[in-house]
Amino acid sequence: MRIEQSPEFQIHLQNLRSKEPLFLETIYNVGNGHFGVRDSNPLQENNLDYIGSPGLFINGFFDYNDVSYGEKYTGYPENDQIINRVFDPRYIRIKVADEDSAIDHFTVDNIDKNLDMQTGLLHEMFSITTPENRNFNLVVESFSSLSKLNVYGIRYSIIPTNFDEDVEIIKLHNYVNQATHQQNEDVRVSQSIGEMQLDFIPDNGQPSYLITTFRSQQGIILTFQANENVAPDPKIDYFKDENNQYGYRSKYHAKKGSEKNFEFLFAIGDIHPLVNARVYADQYLSALDNYIRGTSFQSELMASAQVWQTFWLHSDVKIDGDPQIQLCLRFNLFELNQSAGRDENTSIPAKGLTGNGYGGHFFWDTEMFMLAFFTYTQPQIAKKLLMFRYHTLNIAKQQASEFGLPKGGNVCLADH
């Protein structure tokens, strides 16, 4: 299957007025209602030398944070709920000769970005220069699957421009509670972070994790797999380091102008009560393995793209005379579809899944402003969103009672 790109569905970097990193991270996010991934600098990881706010956000995966008041009245919540910022699946560590992107400051310049809204594919090119002036292009392609809501795919291509040297790539994620630069300009952006713990699940043949929260007592299982069939040379190896942490690595001699490709598929689990996540970790992991074993980046991208094609068939709104407004309208439709929870346990966060704005809370805005779109175009999703509200009615009634409205009332809840 090949889908011809239409310029009317493309968000090109060159056409954007702002090139600010945090703006681009939000605009070029990719999500599917279960999770969203910000468009981060792929070398940043947990390194504050770079200005960025990377993160994987899983819809409904939250922790509690104490709320303090100058004056507190009956019914005021004791805790705020904040969406967790999990490790960045875009991150890759690259070594060139004796230079290491995890230690040395590599200069990363955006050359091109394009979000294809027909397929959900984000295509990017970066020009990366080491402190010793070795330069290479890094092409990154990524998507969040709409055909398998637990799957995220990413593919890297490394192209040296001025050197012949040994290159090593390392794909390992060993942290949660992503460190980011704090900003105070926008009060809607939560500065709070949850407390999480990451544990490697040993001896699974691929990097696998149990991530748990302290106060909300939630747990998720994640795993990812390298496609060893992309290029047998260089070989990519699964390894365990001295800290019993698991990942992939590949080392080869790179030549100027040559290109080497590496692709990975992530399986991002559903949210479980902490006790279940620990007890049934192996069972959940086995189910996740089935999503990504024996397949490829391209196969999963095409399957997801077919779902996007169906979406546009039923949801596209065409206007004449103003191509820019047409593109903006389609981008809004695209983001709505990326943000909608589809499991009856989640809804549409106030900022979608593009970041931690408003703490990832759900508001009644869903029913007032967004539900009608799904009712007319994807009634099965509309039903899921309404079922979420149905499942939280008892909580709403309880809070209304605390505000002195024993029969219930129209209160704006920010509960997950």
Side-chain angles (χ1 to χ4, degrees):
M1 171 188 172
R2 180 176 177 82
I3 299 173
E4 295 297 329
Q5 288 190 346
S6 167
E8 297 176 344
F9 287 85
Q10 313 299 312
I11 307 293
H12 279 287
L13 176 66
Q14 289 81 357
N15 296 331
L16 297 181
R17 294 180 181 178
S18 173
K19 306 297 190 296
E20 292 297 321
L22 296 181
F23 174 80
L24 297 179
E25 285 185 12
T26 300
I27 293 297
Y28 288 108
N29 80 95
V30 290
N32 60 13
H34 174 45
F35 65 86
V37 180
R38 284 180 65 81
D39 177 39
S40 62
N41 173 349
L43 301 187
Q44 177 164 342
E45 198 212 24
N46 226 22
N47 189 344
L48 288 178
D49 285 345
Y50 298 104
I51 297 175
S53 185
L56 162 65
F57 298 95
I58 300 170
N59 202 353
F61 188 55
F62 72 97
D63 207 357
Y64 292 110
N65 185 58
D66 292 332
V67 178
S68 61
Y69 301 94
E71 295 183 22
K72 186 175 184 301
Y73 297 96
T74 301
Y76 279 27
E78 299 288 342
N79 301 291
D80 189 14
Q81 296 173 338
I82 47 179
I83 194 167
N84 289 310
R85 190 187 293 268
V86 186
F87 65 70
D88 181 12
R90 291 171 51 86
Y91 172 67
I92 188 168
R93 179 179 177 182
I94 301 176
K95 297 181 180 181
V96 181
D98 59 349
E99 299 181 276
D100 185 345
S101 67
I103 300 171
D104 305 303
H105 185 87
F106 288 21
T107 301
V108 181
D109 295 317
N110 291 313
I111 301 301
D112 189 31
K113 292 179 184 288
N114 181 56
L115 177 61
D116 180 5
M117 295 185 291
Q118 286 180 296
T119 63
L121 177 67
L122 174 60
H123 184 280
E124 307 168 271
M125 178 180 286
F126 303 90
S127 177
I128 300 178
T129 305
T130 73
E132 295 183 17
N133 206 37
R134 297 180 176 98
N135 178 265
F136 61 94
N137 290 331
L138 176 65
V139 177
V140 181
E141 296 175 290
S142 59
F143 70 97
S144 297
S145 175
L146 277 188
S147 63
K148 297 178 182 177
L149 296 182
N150 297 93
V151 172
Y152 172 77
I154 189 160
R155 178 162 59 194
Y156 307 93
S157 300
I158 298 175
I159 309 164
T161 64
N162 68 353
F163 66 84
D164 295 348
E165 297 278 7
D166 286 341
V167 169
E168 183 177 9
I169 67 106
I170 299 172
K171 186 73 172 165
L172 186 151
H173 304 279
N174 60 0
Y175 71 95
V176 283
N177 304 315
Q178 172 81 52
T180 62
H181 286 276
Q182 299 295 302
Q183 63 87 23
N184 299 311
E185 291 81 16
D186 190 341
V187 297
R188 296 165 297 180
V189 177
S190 173
Q191 305 301 323
S192 302
I193 61 172
E195 293 187 45
M196 292 178 286
Q197 177 175 318
L198 180 147
D199 295 297
F200 281 86
I201 301 175
D203 303 325
N204 185 53
Q206 63 195 51
S208 304
Y209 313 86
L210 170 63
I211 299 178
T212 56
T213 64
F214 284 81
R215 298 186 63 184
S216 62
Q217 293 289 285
Q218 292 181 323
I220 55 170
I221 307 290
L222 290 88
T223 186
F224 73 98
Q225 188 176 92
N227 188 343
E228 299 177 355
N229 299 320
V230 173
D233 178 26
K235 183 181 179 182
I236 189 162
D237 297 311
Y238 172 68
F239 76 100
K240 179 175 72 172
D241 68 12
E242 64 278 4
N243 297 314
N244 293 321
Q245 298 174 346
Y246 300 83
Y248 290 103
R249 63 186 173 194
S250 179
K251 188 173 183 178
Y252 63 99
H253 188 74
K255 294 185 178 180
K256 182 171 60 176
S258 65
E259 179 177 342
K260 297 295 183 182
N261 301 309
F262 306 91
E263 66 178 50
F264 303 89
L265 289 175
F266 284 77
I268 299 165
D270 299 323
I271 301 165
H272 301 283
L274 179 55
V275 61
N276 290 353
R278 292 194 183 279
V279 172
Y280 300 110
D282 290 341
Q283 178 180 327
Y284 296 148
L285 185 56
S286 177
L288 288 176
D289 282 344
N290 291 332
Y291 288 126
I292 57 177
R293 193 173 299 279
T295 186
S296 67
F297 178 97
Q298 194 65 25
S299 295
E300 295 307 318
L301 171 62
M302 290 297 98
S304 180
Q306 287 183 317
V307 182
W308 274 113
Q309 289 293 290
T310 302
F311 167 79
W312 289 115
L313 180 65
H314 296 290
S315 306
D316 194 17
V317 177
K318 298 180 181 179
I319 60 174
D320 295 325
D322 194 326
Q324 186 174 6
I325 294 298
Q326 173 72 88
L327 189 62
C328 290
L329 180 58
R330 284 179 171 146
F331 180 70
N332 278 271
L333 298 177
F334 180 82
E335 285 295 337
L336 272 174
N337 197 44
Q338 284 202 133
S339 303
R342 292 160 164 84
D343 59 2
E344 299 188 9
N345 298 313
T346 55
S347 184
I348 302 177
K351 289 291 185 179
L353 292 164
T354 68
N356 62 332
Y358 285 115
H361 293 170
F362 311 128
F363 297 136
W364 287 107
D365 301 49
T366 300
E367 286 78 3
M368 290 189 290
F369 303 122
M370 294 176 275
L371 184 64
F373 164 72
F374 292 103
T375 300
Y376 284 106
T377 62
Q378 297 182 86
Q380 72 280 8
I381 294 181
K383 180 180 178 180
K384 299 292 186 181
L385 294 171
L386 286 173
M387 288 304 296
F388 161 78
R389 195 60 74 183
Y390 171 78
H391 292 318
T392 58
L393 275 179
N394 286 337
I395 300 173
K397 290 178 180 179
Q398 178 183 342
Q399 184 162 350
S401 177
E402 292 175 359
F403 276 102
L405 302 169
K407 294 184 180 181
N410 184 17
V411 293
C412 181
L413 295 182
D415 291 317
H416 286 85

